[in-house]
Amino acid sequence: MLPADPVFWFFAAAAVTCFGFAKGGFGGIGMAGTPILALVVPPLEAAAILLPILLMQDAISLWAFRREWDAWNLKVLLPGAVAGIGIAWALAAYVSDAWVKLIIGVIAFVFVMNQWFGLAAKAAKATRPSAASGILWGAASGFTSTLAHAGSPPMNIHVLPQKLPKMVFIGTFTIFFAAVNAIKVVPFFFLGEFTDRVLVIALVLMPLAIFTNIAGIRLARRVPEELFYRIAYFLMFLVALALIWQGASAIL
């Protein structure tokens, strides 16, 4: 039942490590997790293997960041996310992963470029988007998270410009994706992705998931706030390039 190929376990360990540090507070790096594992197994199976791991990491991070979060952002993001998950479930058999990655990659790239060089870079203070923005980007996040665990760029487009205190941002990010991942269990179950093989692989990887999650939490607490946001934007930039390359390579 368990894969014997050491190459599989190398990529699986790398994917789990990415998500561990992402759940610790460095959200952008988690975007690499599913694509890394998808190099050795089909994308939907990769997402199914990682989902139980994400749920465990979510539980740890929820406890660590339970005191600081922004209620308004969750109120506008989560209803949209539920709609996005439902749409992804309905379209899972018809939507191309490549096009999803390409579109999200382009949106994320434009957003980061605007933050670095455009009008947003000249803004003297934080800006709070509208509730409609939260619903829209929450839906996009739920949609892309369901198909490829790639929900952080849309969510970040809504939240990062607000320049929330570092721990409030991490807490809000943690609660949002903990809720999204819990809801995603339903479509993955009905799609028949939780096979015995998938669950056993996830169980074997769980100790590494816990270790890397705790390491990420400790590191995030020690990084100064200004540096943290620089890292967050830089990781989002790298993720955008990776998504554009993956999507375009599969389409062309």
Side-chain angles (χ1 to χ4, degrees):
M1 182 179 294
L2 287 174
D5 186 358
V7 174
F8 167 84
W9 291 106
F10 172 81
F11 282 106
V16 169
T17 299
C18 286
F19 277 117
F21 280 94
K23 293 298 180 181
F26 299 95
I29 197 172
M31 290 284 297
T34 305
I36 287 173
L37 190 54
L39 293 172
V40 289
V41 295
L44 204 56
E45 183 180 359
I49 291 171
L50 292 168
L51 185 52
I53 291 168
L54 290 174
L55 293 171
M56 171 59 75
Q57 292 174 330
D58 285 334
I60 297 171
S61 294
L62 280 172
W63 176 256
F65 303 123
R66 66 191 182 280
R67 292 188 177 90
E68 297 182 89
W69 44 279
D70 187 89
W72 180 82
N73 276 291
L74 293 175
K75 287 178 182 178
V76 298
L77 285 165
L78 283 173
V82 172
I85 292 169
I87 294 170
W89 180 7
L91 300 179
Y94 309 102
V95 176
S96 165
D97 287 346
W99 277 107
V100 171
K101 290 178 180 179
L102 180 59
I103 292 170
I104 292 300
V106 170
I107 292 173
F109 179 82
V110 172
F111 169 74
V112 174
M113 289 299 100
N114 184 54
Q115 292 296 315
W116 284 349
F117 308 112
L119 294 175
K122 302 176 183 178
K125 58 183 179 180
T127 57
R128 170 159 285 194
S130 65
S133 166
I135 294 171
L136 172 64
W137 292 115
S141 184
F143 182 83
T144 56
S145 181
T146 303
L147 294 177
H149 295 321
S152 64
M155 189 265 196
N156 282 340
I157 288 173
H158 175 75
V159 178
L160 280 178
Q162 301 175 43
K163 299 179 182 178
L164 299 172
K166 179 185 72 173
M167 299 311 297
V168 174
F169 171 82
I170 295 174
T172 304
F173 185 97
T174 298
I175 294 172
F176 175 74
F177 281 106
V180 167
N181 289 331
I183 296 169
K184 280 156 51 178
V185 170
V186 176
F188 272 84
F189 176 80
F190 283 104
L191 288 170
E193 291 296 327
F194 290 134
T195 63
D196 290 343
R197 164 189 159 90
V198 161
L199 295 177
V200 170
I201 291 172
L203 184 62
V204 170
L205 292 168
M206 205 64 76
L208 177 63
I210 295 171
F211 173 79
T212 55
N213 194 180
I214 294 173
I217 291 170
R218 290 181 176 177
L219 181 61
R221 290 189 183 279
R222 287 165 172 75
V223 174
E225 186 163 311
E226 183 178 353
L227 177 58
F228 174 83
Y229 273 98
R230 288 182 180 178
I231 293 171
Y233 277 113
F234 182 67
L235 288 174
M236 191 170 176
F237 171 71
L238 294 180
V239 166
L241 293 181
L243 289 173
I244 291 170
W245 179 80
Q246 291 169 2
S249 298
I251 292 169
L252 299 177

